[in-house]
Amino acid sequence: MSLLRQPILLLARSQGVKKLVSTMPVSSGIVTSYVPGEATADAVRATRSLVDDGLRVTLDYLGEDTTDAAQADATVAAYKEVLAELSAQGLAPHAEVSVKLSAIGQFLPDNGHKVALENARDICRAARNAGTTVTLDMEDHTTTDSTLSILRELRKDFPETGAVLQAMLHRTEADCRALAYEGSRVRLCKGAYMEPEEVAFQEKVEIDKSYVRCLKVLLAGQGYPMIATHDPRMIQIASSLASRFGRRAGTYEFQMLYGIRPEEQKRLAAAGETVRVYIPYGTEWYGYLMRRLAEKPQNLAFFVRSLISKK
């Protein structure tokens, strides 16, 4: 499957292929299955639908690796707009936002770290005023230290700010121990970036083992674990561990991507679990979709199966 990575990345840069994918009936259905639209209204509409089904939401305004200050400012404005709309429609208690620091200035050539921190503060302030929270998305391993440093600064004023850790990295179990304190919200995912073997596990079985070790740390700790997985086996293991560590419903949550296993999302919610759906939206949807396949090409089969079964 790794042989697909380079061709998919080449397609990700093709405007011609983007137009074809977005206009062909089947392909456009694929896009809207996983990205509800480009505008704030589209994101809020999808949020309303999921909340009505008993689910919670985290919204990601797509875009990353920004090296233009104006673009970073536009991303901040987009987050403030969606937060204001969530508040106006009474959805803020059920929906938060996820922010990639590279989309709000982390990679700017001058003072990128400081710009990203100040922009993140601006979004956190808007989220608190709206009555909700922010989670800082994690990107490839080269940004981990910077992201966690900004997290520490943000939590001085906004302790509710969430973090994301990726189980595929060798360091993550230690990072989980450092962040498993009271009030700390931590989303644990497996990780989808193509990381070098010096810093990351390469085999699925090793990544799965790391995920379980990290789950044990977070569920045994004092924080609020956010268990991001579509893997039926990991969901079962997480439920068993939550029971072992005396975790009551509402002291942790499951998270899944918009359009992936929607019936399982509803099933878990109906069983009393807190389930949050990650909704990406915005004009950068094409790159998001194609990069996801490139980062972990086996997702291609998962997407196809999900379209067929919707389970």
Side-chain angles (χ1 to χ4, degrees):
M1 274 311 246
S2 60
L3 294 175
L4 292 172
R5 183 173 185 270
Q6 198 60 34
I8 292 172
L9 285 174
L10 290 173
L11 290 176
R13 294 195 291 268
S14 170
Q15 289 300 310
V17 175
K18 174 183 177 180
K19 183 176 180 181
L20 181 65
V21 169
S22 61
T23 56
M24 287 179 62
V26 174
S27 295
S28 61
I30 292 174
V31 173
T32 55
S33 290
Y34 302 106
V35 181
E38 297 185 346
T40 295
D42 299 319
V44 174
R45 190 180 305 113
T47 298
R48 169 69 68 187
S49 177
L50 290 169
V51 169
D52 287 347
D53 284 336
L55 301 164
R56 298 188 185 185
V57 166
T58 186
L59 290 161
D60 172 20
Y61 182 72
L62 291 167
E64 57 192 79
D65 300 343
T66 299
T67 56
D68 178 76
Q71 187 176 349
D73 290 343
T75 297
V76 174
Y79 274 112
K80 293 167 77 172
E81 178 180 83
V82 78
L83 285 163
E85 193 62 24
L86 291 173
S87 179
Q89 296 201 24
L91 293 170
H94 312 284
E96 62 145 35
V97 295
S98 289
V99 178
K100 286 183 174 61
L101 292 174
S102 75
I104 58 171
Q106 190 178 32
F107 290 167
L108 292 180
D110 296 319
N111 298 315
H113 183 95
K114 181 178 179 181
V115 171
L117 173 58
E118 291 309 311
N119 281 337
R121 279 200 179 108
D122 201 10
I123 297 170
C124 286
R125 191 175 301 111
R128 180 178 284 177
N129 290 340
T132 189
T133 55
V134 174
T135 292
L136 298 185
D137 271 332
M138 190 63 75
E139 301 177 67
D140 72 71
H141 79 279
T142 64
T143 67
T144 303
D145 285 331
S146 173
T147 299
L148 292 179
S149 173
I150 288 175
L151 174 74
R152 286 191 292 271
E153 289 299 312
L154 286 173
R155 283 186 169 180
K156 292 177 182 177
D157 297 314
F158 304 98
E160 67 274 19
T161 305
V164 178
L165 297 175
Q166 301 173 100
M168 71 182 303
L169 298 182
H170 297 155
R171 62 177 289 170
T172 298
E173 187 175 353
D175 287 333
C176 284
R177 294 186 189 284
L179 289 173
Y181 54 83
E182 187 173 359
S184 175
R185 297 189 308 116
V186 179
R187 177 194 301 155
L188 178 68
C189 62
K190 289 185 181 180
Y193 291 91
M194 298 293 289
E195 301 283 17
E197 61 183 352
E198 308 90 76
V199 301
F201 300 107
Q202 303 297 307
E203 300 299 324
K204 180 182 183 301
V205 64
E206 294 304 322
I207 296 171
D208 285 353
K209 287 178 179 177
S210 176
Y211 194 90
V212 173
R213 290 195 299 271
C214 292
L215 271 180
K216 289 178 178 177
V217 172
L218 293 175
L219 287 167
Q222 301 300 310
Y224 182 83
M226 302 181 287
I227 305 161
T229 183
H230 308 101
D231 185 334
R233 183 165 169 266
M234 287 300 146
I235 292 170
Q236 184 177 31
I237 290 172
S239 296
S240 296
L241 288 173
S243 178
R244 179 196 301 181
F245 292 115
R247 284 277 184 167
R248 294 175 290 101
T251 64
Y252 62 94
E253 66 182 47
F254 288 99
Q255 295 192 355
M256 296 187 188
L257 294 173
Y258 181 79
I260 302 288
R261 304 193 73 203
E263 294 306 317
E264 175 65 0
Q265 295 169 13
K266 294 176 187 177
R267 184 195 70 79
L268 286 168
E273 300 286 5
T274 300
V275 181
R276 191 177 302 274
V277 181
Y278 186 102
I279 300 180
Y281 74 102
T283 58
E284 298 299 313
W285 62 262
Y286 178 73
Y288 163 84
L289 199 61
M290 300 302 283
R291 280 193 304 273
R292 180 164 293 280
L293 296 181
E295 289 160 358
K296 203 169 185 182
Q298 53 264 48
N299 280 344
L300 182 60
F302 210 164
F303 277 121
V304 172
R305 286 200 306 272
S306 181
L307 283 174
I308 294 171
S309 67
K310 282 297 180 183
K311 294 181 180 180

